[in-house]
Amino acid sequence: MTRNINFPVAVCIAFALITHRGLSQDAGRYFAITVVDKETRRGVPLVELKTTGGRRFYTDSQGRIAFYEPALMNQKTAFSFFSHGYECPPDLLGQSGFFLTPTPGGSSLLNITRVNIAERLYRITGQDIYGESAKLGLPVPIRHQNLNGKVMGQDTFIETLYKGKLYWFWGDTIGPAEFNGKASGATSELPGKGGLDPGVGVELDYFVDSSGFCKPICPFGGPTLVWIQWLATLKDNNGEHLYAFYRCINRDGKPGEAGFAVFNDSAQAFEQVKIINEWYGQDHRSGHPVLVNAGGHSYFYIINYDGLERVEADYRHLTDPSQYEHFTCYATGAKYDTARTNLDRTREGDIIYGWKSNTDALNHRRQDELIRAGRITAREGLWQLRDIEGGTPVPVDPSSVFWNNFRKRWIMIAYEFTGGVWFFEGDTPTGPWAYGRKIVSHEHYDFYNVGQHPLFDQEKGRLIYFEGTYTTGFSGNTCETPLYNYNQIMYRLALDDTLLALPAPVYHLKSRRDEEEYQMREGVDSSDLWESIDKIPFYAIPPERKNDDFIPVFSKATENGTVLETKSRAHIKPIFYALPAEVPPDPVSGTWLCKPTPEDDSQSNVRVVLRKNGGQIEGPCVKQGTYKDGQLDLVLQVADYILTGTLKDGNLTGDYRKLDGKESGKWVGERINKTHDANYASSSVPLYEYRDSAGRYLYSVDSTLTDRAMKRTPQPLCRVWPNPSSVIALDYKTRPARLLP
């Protein structure tokens, strides 16, 4: 059958064929550089390679560079290397970089080592997301990768499920010659339901105007910017509705009007439904609400920069400021006023935390001010976020909190002002939140308004996805990364990573027989013992997080109560894991200066970084590495040399050989800098066993209990982590709602 094609369509098809043919022919002049994560073998975006002449080249979202510099083709060329959170093997001068000989039509595969725990995946917004791959004539996963919606830059994402699709909204949007300060939007299909695998990319369909540029989604508020603070999807007898809590920003940068708008499907834009006068002039805070069930009601929990907030999930409560509650230690109805804030305490003086309406929020900044003013003690604070390496407090702001089925806990993604992203987990939405670990670093670059995508979770929550805005922003950095700056970048985190084995609360339970009993969340929740919790004496590693660094601790019932012991018991599951009482030092992790021996002027010293992770040795130069029972076996590759080595008396010694077999010799390595112990020893404390005259047992991290009736064993049972807080603020009746209908 002959198919008729009208003239305009025929012209478009012919142009497309010519363009594709021209691109394929043009691709032959490029030298294809692919930079991959050594562990995952996946291309790494946002990698900078710089020539000695100062020309910079950046990998696209598939980790590719289409290199063509006429003067450097067929020339051996040195490229320096930089990428946030990644390392590459040093050359013999100790510099991070590569020597390549670019040839037209040739290619090179470069391996780099990830230092970040989270894996950088791709850029979601902006120009030429897969531009280098397209130059090389290679396939790309999205249809409009070059200038989708005419977007050059977009600030701060907000996303939710609405009518079976993901609806995305951003703040200020920049085009080639346009600016939209009234919010922009797009939709995408759900993964597995027409959408891309989130590990591959996101196919965005923008709401655009007649010129093809992102249309204003909030076309109201007069001559102001309009930013969406958070979204809520509600259902009633008339169907499903998408509401946005918006805020207007005046020309002087100060916040103004705030209220709610509802999405009009026909107009593909929001329409105002209610202005909230009580919220006029308050600061803008991005949030990612989580829908939960608590006490027979559905709530939206919004946990962000301002603290912990909730509201019942219906239109009447959503649009009534008096119905919002904050989890705080202020007295009901109190407004924050530093030293004069009215606090909620028992007659005995104990601080009281709870959900309270018409009461100001508590974040870590206000908490710090109350501590400095002497109104509360440090241990009475709710916010106790700490770095597991060293146990020091970290100044981070929560950005999203969602339930995770893999961890069986609530997980928090938080960010710091300097571009770092942190992972914490809590037994309930209100915590306790304590020990966490940095999962992403950006060097002298901002990465703010970060948020998780729970609908992208994979493998029952083992893999989670989150994104944020990558920008020079407030960093003071004047060297913007081309194409990437002021755009959204996606990361993926594997929650079974051994470095995410974080301490969680061990609860002391009140017993009807006056016996001591210890349980972690799993035991408390399965037996519904939340009301029996008396205190949180220490933190330990949950049973599911075991690795080579930890030892099991078992609970044994005796006539005199519960005994904790480290002796393995067949077919009995430990109640938690801990560090051994005597933690062996880490003789491997750190920076090593390696040099040939005897001294040879033809060779240079080189620095290598090694990290001990359980029984494995990691680092940018490491090809193989194990450490067990004091024995280190190591194979390194430095430039075009292979080094094998062993550890003895604190020094590395071994042999080296050149890959071409023309050179070999001996080398020694001296550790010139130690790193923090990855096995958490620096933040742990001994756990002691006490017995009273009646033979009853008690376990404490306090080595000097004043009760003379209690006698301490000479040696600790193991090492655990101290509880930084004296309060018990558990929102244990809250359960996550289903994300998909």
Side-chain angles (χ1 to χ4, degrees), residues 163-215:
K163 293 188 176 179
K165 287 187 177 183
L166 290 176
Y167 276 64
W168 304 71
F169 301 97
W170 297 270
D172 300 340
T173 299
I174 300 171
E178 302 91 353
F179 174 75
N180 174 10
K182 298 283 189 177
S184 56
T187 64
S188 70
E189 302 293 338
L190 285 166
K193 296 185 178 182
L196 293 174
D197 183 315
V200 173
V202 177
E203 185 78 75
L204 294 171
D205 292 316
Y206 281 100
F207 303 122
V208 297
D209 59 22
S210 58
S211 74
F213 181 55
C214 288
K215 62 183 289 186

Side-chain angles (χ1 to χ4, degrees), residues 232-459:
T233 302
L234 297 175
K235 293 182 179 180
D236 59 23
N237 294 333
N238 296 318
E240 191 173 5
H241 310 280
L242 176 59
Y243 292 95
F245 172 41
Y246 72 87
R247 185 170 297 284
C248 296
I249 305 297
N250 298 317
R251 289 182 176 181
D252 59 4
K254 295 181 180 180
E257 174 187 299
F260 282 92
V262 65
F263 192 74
N264 183 317
D265 293 352
S266 299
Q268 295 185 335
F270 282 99
E271 299 173 344
Q272 286 176 296
V273 293
K274 188 170 185 179
I275 297 173
I276 309 294
N277 293 325
E278 292 89 335
W279 292 341
Y280 184 91
Q282 294 182 9
D283 288 337
H284 172 78
R285 307 294 188 211
S286 294
H288 302 276
V290 55
L291 184 63
V292 304
N293 299 313
H297 298 273
S298 293
Y299 286 89
F300 287 115
Y301 275 44
I302 307 116
I303 302 174
N304 59 14
Y305 181 100
D306 278 335
L308 296 98
E309 183 177 55
R310 75 176 186 180
V311 63
E312 286 197 47
D314 61 55
Y315 179 77
R316 182 178 69 84
H317 288 84
L318 198 71
T319 57
D320 183 353
S322 68
Q323 299 302 310
Y324 283 73
E325 298 176 296
H326 293 111
F327 197 80
T328 177
C329 61
Y330 311 154
T332 299
K335 303 302 179 183
Y336 180 72
D337 190 15
T338 319
R340 292 184 292 273
T341 305
N342 189 13
L343 301 178
D344 198 2
R345 292 185 180 274
T346 65
R347 290 183 177 180
E348 293 75 24
D350 296 329
I351 199 82
I352 300 174
Y353 283 89
W355 289 109
K356 301 162 188 177
S357 60
N358 291 311
T359 307
D360 276 357
L362 172 73
N363 59 19
H364 75 83
R365 291 171 179 79
R366 288 180 171 180
Q367 176 177 292
D368 290 345
E369 291 173 358
L370 290 173
I371 293 171
R372 288 195 296 270
R375 299 300 313 283
I376 65 173
T377 67
R379 286 181 54 78
E380 288 179 323
L382 178 70
W383 298 101
Q384 300 284 354
L385 301 179
R386 279 163 164 69
D387 184 356
I388 185 59
E389 293 192 20
T392 55
V394 289
V396 296
D397 292 305
S399 53
S400 68
V401 171
F402 292 100
W403 173 259
N404 182 263
N405 281 325
F406 180 79
R407 302 285 289 206
K408 301 301 180 187
R409 281 173 171 79
W410 299 85
I411 61 174
M412 175 193 292
I413 302 296
Y415 66 95
E416 57 185 331
F417 188 72
T418 53
V421 182
W422 291 72
F423 175 88
F424 297 89
E425 61 184 359
D427 287 352
T428 75
T430 58
W433 303 101
Y435 296 99
R437 189 181 284 280
K438 183 181 286 191
I439 54 175
V440 171
S441 293
H442 294 90
E443 186 175 326
H444 199 43
Y445 227 98
D446 282 342
F447 192 68
Y448 59 57
N449 292 340
V450 186
Q452 185 195 338
H453 296 286
L455 287 169
F456 286 175
D457 284 4
Q458 293 177 320
E459 300 180 23

